[in-house]
Amino acid sequence: MIWCRSILPVVRQIKSRWISTGSRLTSGFSLSTDIPEIENFKGVNSYKDLHKFSITNPDEFWGTLGRSRIDWMKPFDKVSECDMHKGSFKWFLGGQLNVSVNCVDRHAAKTPDKVALIWEKDEPNETEKVTYKELLDLVCQVANCLRDNGVKKGDRVAIYMPVSPMAVAAMLGCARIGAIHSVVYAGFKPDSLAERIEDAGVETVLTTDQCVRGGEVIELKKNVDEAVAKSSTVKRVLVSKRTGAEVGKTPLDIDFDEAVAKASKWCEPEVMNSEDMLFMLYTSGSTGKPKGIVHSQAGYLLYTNLTQKFVFDYQEGDIFGCVADIGWITGHSYVVYGPLSNGATTVLFESKPRYPDPGRYWDMVERLKINQFYCAPTGIRSLLRSDNSFVQKYDLSSLRVLASVGEPIDHEAWEWYHTVVGGGKCDVVDSWWQTETGGIAIAPRPSGAGDKIVPAIAMRPFFGIQPAILGRDGKEDTSLGANGACCIKYPWPSIARTIYGDHERFLETYFNKYPGYYFSGDGVRLNQEGYYQLTGRMDDVMSISGIRQGSAEVEDVIDEHPDVSESAVVGIPHEIKGEEPFAYVITKQGVTGDIEQLKTDLQHKVRERIAGFAVPRQMFFADEDILPKTRSGKIMRRILRKIAVDEFEELGDTSTLAEPAVVEKLIQGRILMK
Ligand code: WT7
């Protein structure tokens, strides 16, 4: 276990030149009006009481909210049946529902003309609106088109599309017929797509001709063709138009737009059991193979519904602006399922924060009158280096809640977000969660109005979440100042159900290390005020621009090169991206070629095989094995991280190394590199 990782963000904060003052929660949010169900809970008078109630009486708490917030086709007869030791989670047993009905039909019936989606296209000043009635028609048409093409309940469907109404309809169309979507981020290359298609046994791929981000064209259809050529399972590719470019046709291709236009605007929703799979989403782990994290229907729906409402103080009529891509869990939970299940107007952001200039977000906030804005700290850090006039020239008075996710937010970014963007008037909400948690697990909200928000920390667990800090001895530490592994003690409705096709790995990764607890892979500290502060990953996973990337996956690509014998990739701090990969590469004996060329080749390979964000800019080459290993052969990445950032004095204990002499060689090599 690598403990020193957790120091990184803290160090970044100490270096900060800002002095934080904190802020009080500003929104007029009240327990009894926002959670009318509270009258069922005896002795609950405050958020604190309600949190306590939710973890001490989980079935009563979740059962009550599940009944009132979800439209059921058949009511559930048991709230939960969970076993942390077996990694077995069942919620709302016996219940039947359809998630697309909860996200669309029930709002289309009440407020058909209310805008459900606002698509902020890549081209500035181009937006398209879709009402709930129109969304219902589109979802039904997509669902019918999928059915007509042979897609059945339980089939896995890959969605490789840009953020757009068609992509949202594709997700909900799958949900309507009980197909399981696997959205693959449109920035991934053909090999990554092929790997995900193969692992899930995907027969149907939904894509677009091309996509555009920041004015740059990405050849999605071409990538799909390459991926499909490598996979054995794909039977059909439905292609929708984004740019209208001529992209060639294969025998598997079907014109998605044409098929949808012809399809009927009513599709009978499939009756789904609470625990049927809703979707899978791949995330990078500490071994080379990405994990297909599985979420199911009712528990995920309820949890994203509640967190979108309470963490962001969503009120009827608000415009909800989460700028995440649908290729990540944030896009699933807070662009699509959470907001739509609440009948909100949700923004689909297709562009980039600095396109065409660093005012893009704020121009959009002014034009669309966004009330809640949710982005990643990396975006904020990249913008705060530009002139504040890019923010201040816009009217941002609609904003009430500013939130961030993806990595620890540093004080400088928090303060800038709070004062420059929010004018000191908005709640700034750092939210911690993961693909595996399904929804926000720790955030300053919900809390009583007037409570203080401590800058730059996630602070409080959401209802039903009880964080536990586990020490090296494997015991829970509840003392103030405790620092250790961030675990969660009791199951909650949207906890991941399994890793697709590999329950053993699910247990191994999350449940075996601290029996009886869910282990997140992050470190956490309980500060002196009793609030939680996340401190970064404890495993070999990097967070690059808020995107999670396992070191092992990058190493696998590098190691495949015929000249490479071994490699180790570590994350090092980067001013804007949070972290960036740094690679140590050991070449095979006798390799004498051009190292600069090898570096370029390896970078190219990583870009092609994974994605641009995973490419190590800096690479250290050696022709003898000088990776610092323990006697059992485990690479001590802690040492590699320090050497990569020139902290040669602070290497810690090196006595357990099999060959302590390699450290000096690494240091000399690093000095020569510069
Ligand atoms: C990992 C999960 C959840 C949506 C985006 C990423 C890191 C996320 C925070 C935060 C500190 C954070 C953790 C976590 N992370 N939010 N507010 N403070 N770290 O989802 O790709 O599943 O990544 O992102 O390390 O484990 P993901």
Side-chain angles (χ1 to χ4, degrees):
M1 192 174 304
I2 291 153
W3 292 89
C4 85
R5 266 319 276 300
S6 53
I7 299 169
L8 261 181
V10 179
V11 171
R12 239 184 274 150
Q13 289 180 9
I14 293 168
K15 281 186 190 155
S16 156
R17 61 197 155 84
W18 295 87
I19 298 162
S20 296
T21 50
S23 69
R24 303 215 164 259
L25 287 165
T26 51
S27 309
F29 196 50
S30 107
L31 256 188
S32 55
T33 47
D34 286 297
I35 314 183
E37 295 95 334
I38 193 161
E39 62 188 37
N40 297 289
F41 307 137
K42 280 199 195 70
V44 173
N45 296 307
S46 66
Y47 280 95
K48 243 196 177 131
D49 292 347
L50 189 54
H51 179 259
K52 187 144 185 239
F53 185 91
S54 71
I55 54 174
T56 46
N57 306 282
D59 280 8
E60 210 179 325
F61 178 81
W62 292 114
T64 305
L65 289 150
R67 266 184 290 274
S68 62
R69 310 246 165 180
I70 291 181
D71 281 7
W72 297 93
M73 292 166 161
K74 173 176 168 286
F76 54 90
D77 15 71
K78 188 173 183 197
V79 179
S80 71
E81 202 178 279
C82 300
D83 184 338
M84 281 275 200
H85 294 274
K86 293 193 187 133
S88 165
F89 306 103
K90 295 189 180 122
W91 285 86
F92 306 112
L93 293 87
Q96 292 182 324
L97 74 163
N98 185 286
V99 170
S100 81
V101 169
N102 277 274
C103 289
V104 191
D105 301 44
R106 58 174 174 173
H107 314 301
K110 274 193 216 139
T111 51
D113 299 324
K114 180 171 178 180
V115 173
L117 315 174
I118 306 180
W119 187 19
E120 170 82 5
K121 297 171 77 168
D122 191 55
E123 300 82 4
N125 286 315
E126 270 196 30
T127 55
E128 282 179 25
K129 294 184 179 173
V130 179
T131 65
Y132 270 97
K133 173 71 180 91
E134 290 165 343
L135 182 60
L136 178 59
D137 290 349
L138 187 61
V139 168
C140 284
Q141 286 176 301
V142 169
N144 282 325
C145 156
L146 292 175
R147 266 190 190 151
D148 293 348
N149 280 292
V151 180
K152 300 176 303 300
K153 179 173 176 174
D155 286 356
R156 280 78 54 214
V157 173
I159 300 178
Y160 184 64
M161 295 172 85
V163 180
S164 56
M166 195 59 164
V168 173
M171 293 165 76
L172 294 169
C174 285
R176 195 157 192 97
I177 62 166
I180 298 155
H181 61 70
S182 165
V183 182
V184 179
Y185 174 57
F188 278 120
K189 298 290 175 186
D191 282 338
S192 301
L193 175 60
E195 190 176 13
R196 286 156 174 76
I197 285 175
E198 202 65 25
D199 184 68
V202 164
E203 292 183 355
T204 309
V205 180
L206 311 182
T207 191
T208 55
D209 45 10
Q210 298 177 318
C211 76
V212 271
R213 277 197 78 217
E216 196 189 319
V217 172
I218 304 165
E219 300 287 347
L220 290 195
K221 170 62 170 54
K222 206 168 139 247
N223 289 349
V224 170
D225 289 346
E226 271 182 51
V228 168
K230 289 187 179 141
S231 72
S232 53
T233 56
V234 176
K235 292 193 176 147
R236 57 194 81 87
V237 177
L238 282 77
V239 189
S240 169
K241 277 193 193 58
R242 172 57 181 89
T243 62
E246 188 46 62
V247 289
K249 214 165 156 40
T250 77
L252 299 183
D253 293 356
I254 295 164
D255 185 326
F256 196 10
D257 303 315
E258 208 178 279
V260 162
K262 275 198 256 162
S264 154
K265 289 185 178 169
W266 173 249
C267 172
E268 199 59 36
E270 191 74 48
V271 178
M272 302 300 289
N273 293 323
S274 295
E275 281 305 331
D276 285 336
M277 278 172 67
L278 175 63
F279 68 83
M280 51 198 288
L281 181 61
Y282 285 87
T283 184
S284 207
S286 44
T287 68
K289 195 169 174 271
K291 307 176 270 198
I293 300 292
V294 171
H295 282 287
S296 62
Q297 317 264 331
Y300 173 81
L301 178 69
L302 178 63
Y303 196 85
T304 53
N305 172 280
L306 289 176
T307 44
Q308 193 266 335
K309 166 103 188 98
F310 298 130
V311 174
F312 299 95
D313 181 27
Y314 165 74
Q315 301 291 345
E316 175 57 36
D318 283 350
I319 311 286
F320 190 75
C322 167
V323 292
D325 194 283
I326 50 155
W328 312 119
I329 191 72
T330 313
H332 284 61
S333 302
Y334 301 108
V335 174
V336 183
Y337 292 106
L340 293 179
S341 69
N342 278 313
T345 299
T346 182
V347 173
L348 314 178
F349 182 68
E350 192 188 28
S351 193
K352 285 181 156 181
R354 302 180 67 85
Y355 179 75
D357 66 41
R360 178 62 186 264
Y361 280 162
W362 324 120
D363 169 38
M364 173 176 78
V365 167
E366 176 184 289
R367 272 188 289 109
L368 307 184
K369 300 197 170 39
I370 289 173
N371 303 102
Q372 289 89 0
F373 187 77
Y374 195 24
C375 70
T378 180
I380 303 171
R381 282 195 301 270
S382 86
L383 297 179
L384 64 77
R385 277 163 184 77
S386 303
D387 200 282
N388 284 348
S389 64
F390 281 110
V391 189
Q392 284 156 344
K393 68 178 166 189
Y394 298 104
D395 173 6
L396 304 182
S397 57
S398 58
L399 288 171
R400 282 204 327 273
V401 175
L402 297 169
S404 81
V405 63
E407 53 183 312
I409 181 165
D410 51 281
H411 275 251
E412 185 183 17
W414 194 96
E415 287 294 344
W416 185 82
Y417 207 22
H418 183 234
T419 52
V420 180
V421 179
K425 292 196 291 278
C426 299
D427 291 346
V428 175
V429 175
D430 173 18
S431 63
W432 176 86
W433 58 294
Q434 314 176 286
T435 305
E436 296 86 340
T437 66
I440 294 167
I442 308 184
R445 295 183 136 279
S447 178
D451 271 355
K452 213 170 145 238
I453 291 185
V454 179
I457 74 171
M459 292 182 78
R460 301 182 177 95
F462 191 72
F463 302 129
I465 301 284
Q466 182 54 49
I469 303 180
L470 277 286
R472 278 183 214 237
D473 56 2
K475 295 212 174 70
E476 205 178 319
D477 186 349
T478 52
S479 60
L480 294 180
N483 204 334
C486 178
C487 296
I488 302 179
K489 207 166 169 169
Y490 310 115
W492 64 101
S494 66
I495 185 172
R497 298 303 194 254
T498 192
I499 291 174
Y500 190 80
D502 199 348
H503 198 69
E504 211 29 63
R505 186 174 178 199
F506 185 61
L507 291 173
E508 197 50 49
T509 316
Y510 307 108
F511 302 98
N512 290 355
K513 194 163 207 160
Y514 301 103
Y517 298 85
Y518 163 80
F519 172 47
S520 66
D522 283 28
V524 70
R525 196 173 82 87
L526 189 65
N527 78 6
Q528 293 302 329
E529 296 166 285
Y531 296 128
Y532 295 94
Q533 173 173 25
L534 279 301
T535 52
R537 296 292 305 192
M538 294 171 77
D539 52 12
D540 302 324
V541 173
M542 302 170 282
S543 172
I544 308 159
S545 301
I547 296 174
R548 179 164 154 186
Q549 178 61 53
S551 296
E553 220 179 315
V554 185
E555 289 161 6
D556 280 0
V557 174
I558 294 177
D559 292 352
E560 271 174 22
H561 193 285
D563 289 351
V564 174
S565 95
E566 202 182 358
S567 67
V569 172
V570 294
I572 59 169
H574 181 277
E575 214 184 358
I576 301 213
K577 298 177 191 164
E579 271 188 300
E580 67 168 333
F582 182 111
Y584 290 86
V585 180
I586 311 298
T587 53
K588 284 195 181 140
Q589 264 187 346
V591 170
T592 48
D594 178 352
I595 291 295
E596 269 312 306
Q597 187 55 46
L598 178 58
K599 180 176 171 187
T600 313
D601 289 352
L602 293 174
Q603 288 175 327
H604 179 74
K605 228 163 130 53
V606 175
R607 179 171 293 108
E608 285 309 303
R609 292 283 301 280
I610 309 177
F613 58 77
V615 176
R617 265 192 317 142
Q618 296 190 68
M619 296 180 126
F620 175 113
F621 288 90
D623 55 5
E624 55 174 327
D625 182 7
I626 53 170
L627 294 177
K629 290 181 186 152
T630 61
R631 283 181 199 93
S632 60
K634 190 168 160 41
I635 296 173
M636 284 176 85
R637 287 159 200 275
R638 158 174 79 79
I639 294 174
L640 294 177
R641 268 183 217 110
K642 291 282 178 190
I643 290 175
V645 296
D646 303 328
E647 290 175 3
F648 307 140
E649 309 295 314
E650 301 159 37
L651 298 177
D653 183 11
T654 55
S655 64
T656 57
L657 286 177
E659 297 253 12
V662 297
V663 172
E664 196 46 43
K665 290 188 183 171
L666 281 164
I667 294 176
Q668 290 314 322
R670 174 71 187 141
I671 293 169
L672 284 175
M673 227 180 118
K674 307 185 349 141

